[in-house]
Amino acid sequence: MDALLLSRWQFAVASFFHFLFVPLTLGLSVLVAMMETKYVRTGDETYKRMAKFWGRLFLINFALGVVTGITLEFQFGTNWARYSSFVGDIFGSLLAVEATVAFFLESTFIAVWVFGWDRLSKKMHNAAIWIVAIATNLSAIWILLANGFMQNPVGYVIRNGRAELDSFYEVVTNGFGWSQFFHTVSGAWMLAGFFVMGISAWHLLRNNEMDFFKRSFKFGAAFAIIFSVLVAVQGHHHGNQVARLQPTKMAAMESLWETEKPAGMSLLVIPDEANERNLVEFLKIPYVLSILAFNDPMAEVKGLKEWPKEDRPPVTLTFLSFRAMVGLGTLFIALGAMAWLWRNKIETKRTLLRVLVYAIPLPYLALEFGWAVAEIGRQPWIVWGLMRTENAHSVGVSATQVAVSLGAFFVVYTLLGLIDFFLLRKYAVKGPEKASTSEPKAA
Amino acid sequence: MLETIWFILWGVLWAMYFVLDGFDFGIGTLMPFLAKNETDRRIMYNAQGPFWDGNEVWLITAGGVTFAAFPEVYAVMFSQLYTPLYLLLFALIFRGVTFEFRHLSESPTMKKFMDICHVLGSFLPALLLGVAFSNIFMGLPLENGVSQGSFFGLLNPYALAGGLLFVTAFCYHGAVWLAIKSPASMRQRAIRAAEEIWPALVLLAVVFLAASALATDLYANYLKYPFLLFIPMIPVAGLVLTRVALGKRNLWQSWIFSAATIFGTTAFGVAGIFPALLPSSIGPEHSVTIHNGASSPLTLQIMLGVALVMVPAIILYQAWVFKHFSFQIKEEEMIY
């Protein structure tokens, strides 16, 4: 294996692992902030216990999100040095802005929240978690604008052998990046909703702290239904952009080999990449793909054969990831709707509660599949149409060096992932601290 | 001009990072020497608790700004220091998770494992950052952006002296901070540790300044522009004043002078390599400088605007946090 292939694996491992922690951070910070606001407004101690309980799960998750994020920043320089010098002017500045505008706030004020319970006024303390929640989501904007530049480069000129900034305004108003942001963040808030519902469901099934977990459940259910719908609506809009700006990705998402006008969509497809065809195409519904791609039943959708092989992304992976994401997304809307509908008598809906416990990992999977579509579907380009991935890796870094660091990542990430999982599970199962009447007074 | 401003900001960001995360690394490194029991260890975690995360972002920003303002430097620096940077990264990963993981683990074995991770995750970054920056001060064997040297070539005597200097300076800095934050049970021990580290720090600083004359070209700029000599005066004065203040038990003052020492030492090296950010030991034509390594003027302008607004804001709110959370720890209200 050469340094390029190993670096690709390493980036995949690092980014997919990082993204196990990010979405919960995005959504749960907002939920905890809302719970604490409710406490400040009503003075009801249950909401304070809710903020503390869910806040602790947030913190366990947050720790790994932060440390695995540094890895990604480092990797652009260590493993993708030619990419870094080619787009540093634009991509680097977005990362730097993210750090100064958002990440500093998030990291500084999370500690204020943890250490400030008895040292700050209620309102100040509540403000700290809101700052964390806003900064976390603000940070997603900058990161996704940076990714948006890789997907749909705008606002640059090629000069001195690199992409130089031509219009910062165009870069930060990149519609593709914003669309990715709304899609990702809706998905993340939905995931947080399912996380809170799932853990609440587990306790409701065991009659633990019924009042506490019924209230928590309602917070989760609201997020789950609102954002599972939004992520789908937004996803459709985003699909239109992909069809227009990244037609090879769209063709791979559907495993569409021949150009069709109008294009239909088969419910069951087994791609046969080697022979540039589909082994099975079953239950074809006419017009659907044309509508999905261009909102026009008669629109032409280009097939993969329109492009030379070296310009096409890996089809099977892109296709399967997309189908899995969409399939799960549909399930989330159904589950979210049922949970919301029955939120006031949820303790009687035991089957749904059981399903919701098992549903906890599903949004994680769906979000990872979504990123697989975005990133694998972008291949062979690292910057769409401008730079190929194979030309982006570092010169002077040997395959051995990358192999060793990749091995270390496997070991370290597995270990940390396991500890994190067991801690999350342990504290989720343990439930909230017992309600006490003798709260320590503020110093 | 823009490039020069960014060069200065680049140096300032790294120096800020060393000052701020430096005391965390110092406390972590000192843990096996200063902590006798579980309470002591918890005090040491809690002394860093409200700060370390915000401190670490200065590293992310220093890295991000290198990427944005000097992409070529970012590419060469990070790829050619591949192995030490990955060691640094893993150390930071382990250090970062220990706070939350240790406090939530109930088994003593797990706590012990996390303590080991914490100590190594504090000591290694201090050492590696010192070694990496000393190598940059010496010049890397760069030819057309690729290093001709090996990982073991980085472990030369000058760089190791630099690494040791960083470790010692951070330990001193951490001991003073620990003295500020600790309850009485720990405070005296922390002060005594600082007093004992100080002579070693002075010795290493003298060795490092002298070795810089032999192993590097850092002094060339100072000979050319003698007014720059005020820069090395900062760490020298800081080193003396921090001890004086410590003797008077004026801990905050002592900590600020210690910060000035770390800041000044970094500035001394950075001013010495100007206008290169990555000098090449093979020949100056292979150096990555502010001229051949910088972003386009437009990026530099926009980033300067962002920095001029955000950096003062960050300093203000972080100062607020330092002010509010530098209270003496009470054992019964420890979080970790």
CSV table of all heavy atoms in Angstrom, one decimal, chain B residues 56-106:
chain,number,residue,atom,x,y,z
B,56,GLU,N,-6.0,25.2,25.2
B,56,GLU,CA,-5.6,24.4,24.0
B,56,GLU,C,-6.0,25.0,22.7
B,56,GLU,O,-5.4,24.7,21.6
B,56,GLU,CB,-6.1,22.9,24.2
B,56,GLU,CG,-5.5,22.0,23.2
B,56,GLU,CD,-5.9,20.5,23.6
B,56,GLU,OE1,-5.2,20.0,24.5
B,56,GLU,OE2,-6.8,20.0,23.0
B,57,VAL,N,-7.1,25.8,22.7
B,57,VAL,CA,-7.5,26.4,21.5
B,57,VAL,C,-6.5,27.3,20.9
B,57,VAL,O,-6.5,27.6,19.7
B,57,VAL,CB,-8.9,27.1,21.7
B,57,VAL,CG1,-9.4,27.6,20.4
B,57,VAL,CG2,-9.9,26.1,22.2
B,58,TRP,N,-5.6,27.9,21.8
B,58,TRP,CA,-4.6,28.7,21.2
B,58,TRP,C,-3.7,27.9,20.2
B,58,TRP,O,-3.1,28.4,19.3
B,58,TRP,CB,-3.7,29.3,22.3
B,58,TRP,CG,-4.5,30.4,23.0
B,58,TRP,CD1,-5.2,30.3,24.1
B,58,TRP,CD2,-4.5,31.8,22.6
B,58,TRP,NE1,-5.8,31.5,24.5
B,58,TRP,CE2,-5.4,32.4,23.6
B,58,TRP,CE3,-4.0,32.6,21.6
B,58,TRP,CZ2,-5.7,33.8,23.5
B,58,TRP,CZ3,-4.3,33.9,21.5
B,58,TRP,CH2,-5.1,34.5,22.5
B,59,LEU,N,-3.5,26.6,20.5
B,59,LEU,CA,-2.8,25.7,19.6
B,59,LEU,C,-3.5,25.6,18.3
B,59,LEU,O,-2.9,25.7,17.2
B,59,LEU,CB,-2.5,24.4,20.2
B,59,LEU,CG,-1.9,23.3,19.3
B,59,LEU,CD1,-0.5,23.6,18.9
B,59,LEU,CD2,-2.0,21.9,19.9
B,60,ILE,N,-4.8,25.3,18.4
B,60,ILE,CA,-5.6,25.1,17.2
B,60,ILE,C,-5.6,26.4,16.4
B,60,ILE,O,-5.5,26.4,15.1
B,60,ILE,CB,-7.1,24.9,17.6
B,60,ILE,CG1,-7.3,23.9,18.7
B,60,ILE,CG2,-7.9,24.5,16.3
B,60,ILE,CD1,-7.2,22.5,18.4
B,61,THR,N,-5.6,27.6,17.1
B,61,THR,CA,-5.6,28.8,16.4
B,61,THR,C,-4.2,29.1,15.8
B,61,THR,O,-4.1,29.5,14.6
B,61,THR,CB,-5.9,30.0,17.3
B,61,THR,OG1,-7.2,29.6,17.9
B,61,THR,CG2,-6.1,31.3,16.6
B,62,ALA,N,-3.1,28.8,16.5
B,62,ALA,CA,-1.8,29.0,16.0
B,62,ALA,C,-1.6,28.1,14.7
B,62,ALA,O,-1.1,28.5,13.7
B,62,ALA,CB,-0.7,28.6,17.0
B,63,GLY,N,-2.1,26.9,14.8
B,63,GLY,CA,-2.1,26.0,13.6
B,63,GLY,C,-3.0,26.6,12.5
B,63,GLY,O,-2.5,26.7,11.3
B,64,GLY,N,-4.2,27.0,12.8
B,64,GLY,CA,-5.1,27.5,11.8
B,64,GLY,C,-4.6,28.7,11.1
B,64,GLY,O,-4.7,28.9,9.9
B,65,VAL,N,-3.9,29.6,11.9
B,65,VAL,CA,-3.4,30.8,11.4
B,65,VAL,C,-2.2,30.5,10.5
B,65,VAL,O,-2.0,31.2,9.4
B,65,VAL,CB,-3.1,31.8,12.5
B,65,VAL,CG1,-2.1,32.8,12.1
B,65,VAL,CG2,-4.3,32.5,13.0
B,66,THR,N,-1.4,29.6,10.9
B,66,THR,CA,-0.3,29.2,10.0
B,66,THR,C,-0.8,28.7,8.7
B,66,THR,O,-0.4,29.1,7.6
B,66,THR,CB,0.5,28.0,10.6
B,66,THR,OG1,0.8,28.3,12.0
B,66,THR,CG2,1.8,27.8,9.9
B,67,PHE,N,-1.9,27.9,8.7
B,67,PHE,CA,-2.6,27.4,7.5
B,67,PHE,C,-3.1,28.5,6.7
B,67,PHE,O,-2.9,28.6,5.5
B,67,PHE,CB,-3.7,26.5,8.0
B,67,PHE,CG,-4.2,25.5,6.9
B,67,PHE,CD1,-5.1,24.5,7.3
B,67,PHE,CD2,-3.8,25.6,5.6
B,67,PHE,CE1,-5.6,23.6,6.4
B,67,PHE,CE2,-4.3,24.7,4.7
B,67,PHE,CZ,-5.2,23.7,5.1
B,68,ALA,N,-3.7,29.5,7.3
B,68,ALA,CA,-4.4,30.6,6.6
B,68,ALA,C,-3.4,31.6,6.0
B,68,ALA,O,-3.4,32.0,4.9
B,68,ALA,CB,-5.4,31.3,7.4
B,69,ALA,N,-2.4,32.0,6.9
B,69,ALA,CA,-1.6,33.1,6.5
B,69,ALA,C,-0.3,32.6,5.8
B,69,ALA,O,0.2,33.3,4.9
B,69,ALA,CB,-1.2,33.9,7.7
B,70,PHE,N,0.1,31.4,6.1
B,70,PHE,CA,1.3,30.9,5.5
B,70,PHE,C,1.1,29.4,5.1
B,70,PHE,O,1.7,28.5,5.7
B,70,PHE,CB,2.5,31.0,6.5
B,70,PHE,CG,2.8,32.4,6.9
B,70,PHE,CD1,2.4,32.9,8.2
B,70,PHE,CD2,3.5,33.3,6.0
B,70,PHE,CE1,2.7,34.2,8.6
B,70,PHE,CE2,3.7,34.6,6.4
B,70,PHE,CZ,3.3,35.1,7.7
B,71,PRO,N,0.3,29.2,4.1
B,71,PRO,CA,-0.1,27.8,3.8
B,71,PRO,C,1.1,26.9,3.5
B,71,PRO,O,1.2,25.8,3.8
B,71,PRO,CB,-1.0,27.9,2.5
B,71,PRO,CG,-1.2,29.4,2.3
B,71,PRO,CD,-0.4,30.2,3.3
B,72,GLU,N,2.1,27.5,2.8
B,72,GLU,CA,3.3,26.8,2.4
B,72,GLU,C,4.1,26.3,3.7
B,72,GLU,O,4.6,25.2,3.8
B,72,GLU,CB,4.2,27.6,1.5
B,72,GLU,CG,5.2,26.9,0.7
B,72,GLU,CD,4.6,25.8,-0.1
B,72,GLU,OE1,3.5,26.0,-0.7
B,72,GLU,OE2,5.3,24.7,-0.3
B,73,VAL,N,4.1,27.2,4.7
B,73,VAL,CA,4.7,26.9,6.0
B,73,VAL,C,4.0,25.7,6.6
B,73,VAL,O,4.6,24.8,7.1
B,73,VAL,CB,4.8,28.1,6.9
B,73,VAL,CG1,5.3,27.7,8.3
B,73,VAL,CG2,5.6,29.2,6.3
B,74,TYR,N,2.7,25.9,6.6
B,74,TYR,CA,1.8,24.8,7.2
B,74,TYR,C,2.1,23.5,6.6
B,74,TYR,O,2.3,22.5,7.3
B,74,TYR,CB,0.3,25.2,7.0
B,74,TYR,CG,-0.6,24.3,7.8
B,74,TYR,CD1,-0.7,24.4,9.2
B,74,TYR,CD2,-1.4,23.4,7.2
B,74,TYR,CE1,-1.6,23.6,9.9
B,74,TYR,CE2,-2.3,22.6,7.9
B,74,TYR,CZ,-2.4,22.7,9.2
B,74,TYR,OH,-3.3,21.9,9.9
B,75,ALA,N,2.1,23.5,5.2
B,75,ALA,CA,2.3,22.2,4.5
B,75,ALA,C,3.7,21.6,4.8
B,75,ALA,O,3.8,20.4,5.1
B,75,ALA,CB,2.2,22.5,3.0
B,76,VAL,N,4.7,22.4,4.8
B,76,VAL,CA,6.1,21.9,5.0
B,76,VAL,C,6.3,21.5,6.5
B,76,VAL,O,6.7,20.5,6.8
B,76,VAL,CB,7.1,22.9,4.5
B,76,VAL,CG1,8.5,22.4,4.9
B,76,VAL,CG2,7.0,23.2,3.0
B,77,MET,N,5.9,22.4,7.4
B,77,MET,CA,6.1,22.2,8.8
B,77,MET,C,5.4,20.9,9.2
B,77,MET,O,6.0,20.1,9.9
B,77,MET,CB,5.6,23.4,9.6
B,77,MET,CG,5.7,23.3,11.1
B,77,MET,SD,5.2,25.0,11.7
B,77,MET,CE,5.2,24.6,13.5
B,78,PHE,N,4.1,20.8,8.9
B,78,PHE,CA,3.4,19.6,9.4
B,78,PHE,C,3.8,18.3,8.7
B,78,PHE,O,3.8,17.3,9.3
B,78,PHE,CB,1.9,19.9,9.3
B,78,PHE,CG,1.3,20.7,10.4
B,78,PHE,CD1,1.8,22.0,10.6
B,78,PHE,CD2,0.4,20.2,11.3
B,78,PHE,CE1,1.3,22.8,11.7
B,78,PHE,CE2,0.0,20.9,12.4
B,78,PHE,CZ,0.4,22.2,12.6
B,79,SER,N,4.1,18.4,7.4
B,79,SER,CA,4.4,17.1,6.7
B,79,SER,C,5.9,16.7,7.1
B,79,SER,O,6.1,15.5,7.3
B,79,SER,CB,4.2,17.2,5.2
B,79,SER,OG,5.1,18.2,4.7
B,80,GLN,N,6.8,17.7,7.2
B,80,GLN,CA,8.2,17.3,7.4
B,80,GLN,C,8.5,17.0,8.9
B,80,GLN,O,9.5,16.4,9.2
B,80,GLN,CB,9.1,18.3,6.9
B,80,GLN,CG,8.9,18.6,5.4
B,80,GLN,CD,8.8,17.3,4.5
B,80,GLN,OE1,9.7,16.4,4.7
B,80,GLN,NE2,7.8,17.2,3.7
B,81,LEU,N,7.6,17.4,9.8
B,81,LEU,CA,7.7,17.0,11.2
B,81,LEU,C,6.7,16.0,11.5
B,81,LEU,O,6.1,16.0,12.6
B,81,LEU,CB,7.6,18.3,12.1
B,81,LEU,CG,8.7,19.3,12.0
B,81,LEU,CD1,8.3,20.6,12.8
B,81,LEU,CD2,10.0,18.8,12.4
B,82,TYR,N,6.4,15.1,10.6
B,82,TYR,CA,5.3,14.2,10.7
B,82,TYR,C,5.3,13.4,12.0
B,82,TYR,O,4.3,13.4,12.8
B,82,TYR,CB,5.4,13.2,9.5
B,82,TYR,CG,4.1,12.3,9.3
B,82,TYR,CD1,3.1,12.7,8.5
B,82,TYR,CD2,4.0,11.1,10.0
B,82,TYR,CE1,2.0,11.9,8.3
B,82,TYR,CE2,2.9,10.3,9.8
B,82,TYR,CZ,1.9,10.7,9.0
B,82,TYR,OH,0.8,9.9,8.8
B,83,THR,N,6.4,12.7,12.2
B,83,THR,CA,6.4,11.8,13.4
B,83,THR,C,6.3,12.5,14.7
B,83,THR,O,5.5,12.2,15.5
B,83,THR,CB,7.7,10.9,13.4
B,83,THR,OG1,7.7,10.2,12.1
B,83,THR,CG2,7.7,9.9,14.5
B,84,PRO,N,7.1,13.6,15.0
B,84,PRO,CA,6.9,14.3,16.2
B,84,PRO,C,5.6,14.9,16.4
B,84,PRO,O,5.0,14.9,17.5
B,84,PRO,CB,8.0,15.4,16.2
B,84,PRO,CG,8.6,15.4,14.9
B,84,PRO,CD,8.3,14.1,14.2
B,85,LEU,N,5.0,15.4,15.3
B,85,LEU,CA,3.6,16.0,15.4
B,85,LEU,C,2.6,14.9,15.8
B,85,LEU,O,1.7,15.2,16.5
B,85,LEU,CB,3.3,16.7,14.1
B,85,LEU,CG,3.8,18.1,14.1
B,85,LEU,CD1,3.7,18.8,12.7
B,85,LEU,CD2,3.1,19.0,15.1
B,86,TYR,N,2.7,13.7,15.2
B,86,TYR,CA,1.8,12.7,15.6
B,86,TYR,C,1.9,12.3,17.0
B,86,TYR,O,1.0,12.0,17.7
B,86,TYR,CB,1.8,11.5,14.6
B,86,TYR,CG,0.8,11.7,13.5
B,86,TYR,CD1,1.2,12.1,12.3
B,86,TYR,CD2,-0.5,11.5,13.7
B,86,TYR,CE1,0.3,12.3,11.3
B,86,TYR,CE2,-1.5,11.7,12.8
B,86,TYR,CZ,-1.0,12.1,11.5
B,86,TYR,OH,-2.0,12.3,10.5
B,87,LEU,N,3.2,12.2,17.5
B,87,LEU,CA,3.4,11.9,18.9
B,87,LEU,C,2.7,13.0,19.8
B,87,LEU,O,2.0,12.7,20.7
B,87,LEU,CB,4.9,11.9,19.2
B,87,LEU,CG,5.6,10.6,18.8
B,87,LEU,CD1,7.1,10.8,19.0
B,87,LEU,CD2,5.1,9.4,19.6
B,88,LEU,N,2.9,14.3,19.4
B,88,LEU,CA,2.3,15.4,20.1
B,88,LEU,C,0.7,15.2,20.1
B,88,LEU,O,0.1,15.4,21.1
B,88,LEU,CB,2.7,16.7,19.4
B,88,LEU,CG,2.0,18.0,19.9
B,88,LEU,CD1,2.4,18.3,21.3
B,88,LEU,CD2,2.3,19.2,19.0
B,89,LEU,N,0.2,14.9,18.9
B,89,LEU,CA,-1.2,14.8,18.8
B,89,LEU,C,-1.8,13.7,19.7
B,89,LEU,O,-2.8,13.9,20.4
B,89,LEU,CB,-1.6,14.4,17.3
B,89,LEU,CG,-3.0,14.2,17.0
B,89,LEU,CD1,-3.8,15.5,17.1
B,89,LEU,CD2,-3.2,13.7,15.5
B,90,PHE,N,-1.1,12.5,19.7
B,90,PHE,CA,-1.6,11.4,20.5
B,90,PHE,C,-1.5,11.8,22.0
B,90,PHE,O,-2.4,11.5,22.8
B,90,PHE,CB,-0.9,10.1,20.2
B,90,PHE,CG,-1.4,9.5,19.0
B,90,PHE,CD1,-0.5,9.3,17.9
B,90,PHE,CD2,-2.7,9.0,18.8
B,90,PHE,CE1,-1.0,8.7,16.7
B,90,PHE,CE2,-3.1,8.5,17.7
B,90,PHE,CZ,-2.3,8.3,16.6
B,91,ALA,N,-0.4,12.5,22.3
B,91,ALA,CA,-0.3,12.9,23.7
B,91,ALA,C,-1.4,13.9,24.1
B,91,ALA,O,-2.0,13.8,25.2
B,91,ALA,CB,1.1,13.6,23.9
B,92,LEU,N,-1.7,14.8,23.2
B,92,LEU,CA,-2.8,15.8,23.5
B,92,LEU,C,-4.2,15.1,23.6
B,92,LEU,O,-5.0,15.4,24.4
B,92,LEU,CB,-2.8,16.9,22.4
B,92,LEU,CG,-1.7,17.8,22.4
B,92,LEU,CD1,-1.8,18.8,21.3
B,92,LEU,CD2,-1.6,18.6,23.7
B,93,ILE,N,-4.3,14.1,22.8
B,93,ILE,CA,-5.6,13.3,22.8
B,93,ILE,C,-5.8,12.7,24.2
B,93,ILE,O,-6.8,12.8,24.8
B,93,ILE,CB,-5.6,12.2,21.7
B,93,ILE,CG1,-5.8,12.9,20.3
B,93,ILE,CG2,-6.8,11.2,21.9
B,93,ILE,CD1,-5.8,12.0,19.1
B,94,PHE,N,-4.7,12.0,24.6
B,94,PHE,CA,-4.8,11.3,25.9
B,94,PHE,C,-5.0,12.3,27.1
B,94,PHE,O,-5.8,12.1,28.0
B,94,PHE,CB,-3.5,10.4,26.2
B,94,PHE,CG,-3.6,9.1,25.5
B,94,PHE,CD1,-2.8,8.8,24.4
B,94,PHE,CD2,-4.6,8.2,25.9
B,94,PHE,CE1,-2.9,7.5,23.8
B,94,PHE,CE2,-4.7,7.0,25.3
B,94,PHE,CZ,-3.9,6.6,24.2
B,95,ARG,N,-4.2,13.4,27.0
B,95,ARG,CA,-4.3,14.4,28.1
B,95,ARG,C,-5.8,14.9,28.1
B,95,ARG,O,-6.4,15.1,29.2
B,95,ARG,CB,-3.3,15.6,27.8
B,95,ARG,CG,-3.1,16.5,29.0
B,95,ARG,CD,-3.9,17.8,28.9
B,95,ARG,NE,-3.9,18.5,27.7
B,95,ARG,CZ,-3.6,19.8,27.6
B,95,ARG,NH1,-3.2,20.5,28.6
B,95,ARG,NH2,-3.8,20.4,26.4
B,96,GLY,N,-6.3,15.2,26.9
B,96,GLY,CA,-7.6,15.8,26.8
B,96,GLY,C,-8.7,15.0,27.4
B,96,GLY,O,-9.7,15.5,28.0
B,97,VAL,N,-8.7,13.7,27.2
B,97,VAL,CA,-9.8,12.8,27.7
B,97,VAL,C,-9.6,12.5,29.2
B,97,VAL,O,-10.6,12.1,29.8
B,97,VAL,CB,-10.0,11.5,26.9
B,97,VAL,CG1,-10.3,11.8,25.5
B,97,VAL,CG2,-8.7,10.6,27.1
B,98,THR,N,-8.4,12.7,29.8
B,98,THR,CA,-8.3,12.2,31.1
B,98,THR,C,-9.1,12.9,32.1
B,98,THR,O,-9.6,12.3,33.1
B,98,THR,CB,-6.8,12.3,31.6
B,98,THR,OG1,-6.4,13.7,31.4
B,98,THR,CG2,-5.9,11.4,30.9
B,99,PHE,N,-9.4,14.2,31.9
B,99,PHE,CA,-10.1,15.0,32.9
B,99,PHE,C,-11.5,14.3,33.2
B,99,PHE,O,-11.9,14.0,34.3
B,99,PHE,CB,-10.3,16.4,32.5
B,99,PHE,CG,-9.0,17.2,32.4
B,99,PHE,CD1,-8.3,17.2,31.3
B,99,PHE,CD2,-8.6,17.9,33.6
B,99,PHE,CE1,-7.1,17.9,31.2
B,99,PHE,CE2,-7.4,18.6,33.5
B,99,PHE,CZ,-6.6,18.6,32.4
B,100,GLU,N,-12.3,14.2,32.1
B,100,GLU,CA,-13.6,13.7,32.2
B,100,GLU,C,-13.6,12.2,32.5
B,100,GLU,O,-14.3,11.7,33.4
B,100,GLU,CB,-14.4,14.0,30.9
B,100,GLU,CG,-15.8,14.1,31.0
B,100,GLU,CD,-16.2,15.3,31.9
B,100,GLU,OE1,-15.6,16.4,31.9
B,100,GLU,OE2,-17.1,15.1,32.7
B,101,PHE,N,-12.8,11.5,31.8
B,101,PHE,CA,-12.7,10.0,31.9
B,101,PHE,C,-12.3,9.6,33.3
B,101,PHE,O,-12.9,8.6,33.9
B,101,PHE,CB,-11.8,9.4,30.9
B,101,PHE,CG,-12.4,9.2,29.5
B,101,PHE,CD1,-13.6,9.9,29.2
B,101,PHE,CD2,-11.8,8.5,28.6
B,101,PHE,CE1,-14.1,9.8,27.9
B,101,PHE,CE2,-12.3,8.4,27.3
B,101,PHE,CZ,-13.5,9.0,27.0
B,102,ARG,N,-11.3,10.2,33.9
B,102,ARG,CA,-10.8,9.8,35.2
B,102,ARG,C,-11.9,10.1,36.3
B,102,ARG,O,-12.1,9.2,37.1
B,102,ARG,CB,-9.6,10.6,35.6
B,102,ARG,CG,-9.0,10.3,36.9
B,102,ARG,CD,-7.9,11.2,37.3
B,102,ARG,NE,-7.1,10.6,38.4
B,102,ARG,CZ,-7.5,10.6,39.7
B,102,ARG,NH1,-8.6,11.2,40.0
B,102,ARG,NH2,-6.7,10.1,40.6
B,103,HIS,N,-12.5,11.2,36.2
B,103,HIS,CA,-13.4,11.6,37.2
B,103,HIS,C,-14.7,10.8,37.2
B,103,HIS,O,-15.2,10.5,38.2
B,103,HIS,CB,-13.6,13.1,37.1
B,103,HIS,CG,-15.0,13.6,37.1
B,103,HIS,ND1,-15.7,13.7,38.3
B,103,HIS,CD2,-15.8,14.1,36.2
B,103,HIS,CE1,-16.9,14.3,38.0
B,103,HIS,NE2,-17.0,14.5,36.8
B,104,LEU,N,-15.0,10.2,36.0
B,104,LEU,CA,-16.2,9.4,35.9
B,104,LEU,C,-15.9,7.9,36.1
B,104,LEU,O,-16.9,7.1,36.3
B,104,LEU,CB,-16.9,9.7,34.6
B,104,LEU,CG,-17.5,11.1,34.4
B,104,LEU,CD1,-18.1,11.2,33.1
B,104,LEU,CD2,-18.6,11.4,35.5
B,105,SER,N,-14.7,7.5,36.0
B,105,SER,CA,-14.3,6.1,36.2
B,105,SER,C,-14.3,5.8,37.7
B,105,SER,O,-13.8,6.6,38.5
B,105,SER,CB,-13.0,5.8,35.7
B,105,SER,OG,-12.9,6.2,34.3
B,106,GLU,N,-14.8,4.7,38.1
B,106,GLU,CA,-14.9,4.4,39.5
B,106,GLU,C,-13.8,3.4,39.9
B,106,GLU,O,-13.3,3.4,41.0
B,106,GLU,CB,-16.2,3.9,39.9
B,106,GLU,CG,-17.1,5.0,40.3
B,106,GLU,CD,-18.6,4.8,40.2
B,106,GLU,OE1,-19.0,3.6,40.0
B,106,GLU,OE2,-19.4,5.7,40.2
